């Protein structure tokens, strides 16, 4: 089955800095990669996703890149703000499956 | 976006009692619903996947007689924790996907924090 590794487990940055979270996956058949943000005690929310037919996707301060050859994808947050503080989960799904495999999560702390 | 409602948000119960958690898709028909358990500062652990009208598929290590899942309609799934014990205390989250072009996208409920005394 799929295995998703996520790093780092904790990331601490100053407000205004950039943050990068990296994930690797094992199943070359995986073709959909969502990122979820979970604030303390709240539900995970989809913030951005990418499909395997593109290499990069941006949405304002958030971007995701995908390297299919190396089987890794990354979340980039620029100009971080304290409200970006949360746990971020990456996930991978293959075309034939609707069940995501989640990474272990990254706790992002943005210091004002 | 799609909305998933989960109730109750918090439950405190005595050991040995059963607790039912409801998960509803409010504005779409959920082809598939998922139940997760989340321990503090850890990832989402998939417990089971359910499709409307069929038996749930449980992940390895999850006791199906302990965690009863019913997916009676395209908008409602329930998780019943039977004879709850303190070790069942956790944060339980459901999610739903709508199928078709959006089958890969999961919409999460707000979670239920279960505390068993």
């Amino acid at each position: 089955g799929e295995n998703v590794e996520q790093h780092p487990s904790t990331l601490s940055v100053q407000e205004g800095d950039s943050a990068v979270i990296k994930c690797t996956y094992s199943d070359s058949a995986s073709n959909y990669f969502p990122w979820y943000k979970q604030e303390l005690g709240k539900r995970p929310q989809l913030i951005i996703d990418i499909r395997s037919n593109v290499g990069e996707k941006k949405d304002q301060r958030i971007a995701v890149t995908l390297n299919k050859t190396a089987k890794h994808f990354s979340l980039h947050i620029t100009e971080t703000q304290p409200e970006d503080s949360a746990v971020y989960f990456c996930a991978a799904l293959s075309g034939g499956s609707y069940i995501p495999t989640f990474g272990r999560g990254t706790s992002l702390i943005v210091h004002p | 976006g799609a909305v998933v409602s989960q109730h109750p948000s918090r439950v405190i119960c005595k050991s040995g009692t059963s607790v039912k958690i409801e998960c509803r898709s409010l504005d779409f028909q959920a082809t598939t619903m998922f139940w997760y358990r989340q321990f503090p500062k850890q990832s989402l652990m998939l417990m089971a996947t359910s499709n409307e009208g069929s038996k749930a598929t449980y992940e390895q290590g999850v006791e199906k007689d302990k965690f009863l899942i019913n997916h009676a309609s395209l908008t409602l799934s329930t998780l019943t924790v039977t004879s709850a014990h303190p070790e069942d205390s956790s944060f339980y989250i459901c999610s739903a996907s709508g199928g078709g072009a959006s089958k890969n996208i999961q919409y999460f409920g707000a979670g239920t924090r279960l505390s068993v005394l």
Side-chain angles (χ1 to χ4, degrees):
Chain A
E2 176 66 278
N3 182 48
V4 176
E5 298 283 341
Q6 183 172 348
H7 298 280
S9 57
T10 305
L11 180 57
S12 184
V13 300
Q14 288 296 129
E15 183 176 2
D17 288 350
S18 294
V20 180
I21 302 170
K22 298 180 179 181
C23 289
T24 60
Y25 60 99
S26 60
D27 188 354
S28 56
S30 289
N31 61 1
Y32 176 67
F33 308 92
W35 285 88
Y36 291 87
K37 175 183 179 182
Q38 186 180 26
E39 296 178 32
L40 187 63
K42 296 189 177 180
R43 75 186 78 199
Q45 292 194 307
L46 179 70
I47 56 171
I48 196 168
D49 56 11
I50 191 168
R51 297 190 184 274
S52 59
N53 57 347
V54 298
E56 184 175 4
K57 184 177 178 180
K58 287 185 180 180
D59 182 3
Q60 300 183 339
R61 296 186 297 108
I62 295 172
V64 57
T65 59
L66 171 64
N67 183 325
K68 287 170 54 180
T69 303
K71 295 210 232 6
H72 66 69
F73 56 111
S74 301
L75 177 70
H76 304 253
I77 306 174
T78 58
E79 301 173 32
T80 54
Q81 300 167 4
E83 50 266 38
D84 294 330
S85 297
V87 178
Y88 292 81
F89 293 99
C90 64
L93 293 87
S94 66
S97 172
Y98 47 82
I99 302 174
T101 299
F102 284 93
R104 295 180 67 85
T106 296
S107 177
L108 173 64
I109 302 167
V110 181
H111 299 280
Chain B
V3 178
V4 173
S5 173
Q6 183 174 344
H7 292 284
S9 58
R10 187 176 182 97
V11 180
I12 301 173
C13 69
K14 293 182 179 180
S15 184
T17 59
S18 294
V19 175
K20 180 185 282 189
I21 303 169
E22 288 191 351
C23 183
R24 294 180 184 272
S25 57
L26 297 186
D27 52 2
F28 69 103
Q29 292 187 327
T31 307
T32 306
M33 286 188 167
F34 307 81
W35 287 96
Y36 295 88
R37 185 172 179 176
Q38 187 176 35
F39 294 100
K41 298 185 179 181
Q42 293 193 25
S43 189
L44 300 158
M45 184 188 81
L46 181 65
M47 298 174 66
T49 305
S50 71
N51 293 293
E52 183 263 340
S54 62
K55 291 183 179 180
T57 301
Y58 289 81
E59 294 298 299
Q60 192 173 10
V62 178
E63 299 176 59
K64 58 183 179 182
D65 295 331
K66 173 77 171 175
F67 300 100
L68 299 178
I69 292 172
N70 184 281
H71 193 160
S73 74
L74 282 171
T75 59
L76 174 64
S77 177
T78 60
L79 167 68
T80 301
V81 183
T82 62
S83 187
H85 291 284
E87 57 266 30
D88 299 324
S89 298
S90 191
F91 192 55
Y92 293 87
I93 307 179
C94 70
S95 71
S97 63
S102 63
K103 69 175 183 178
N104 288 341
I105 301 175
Q106 295 205 357
Y107 301 96
F108 286 87
T112 298
R113 186 160 301 283
L114 172 63
S115 300
V116 185
L117 305 178

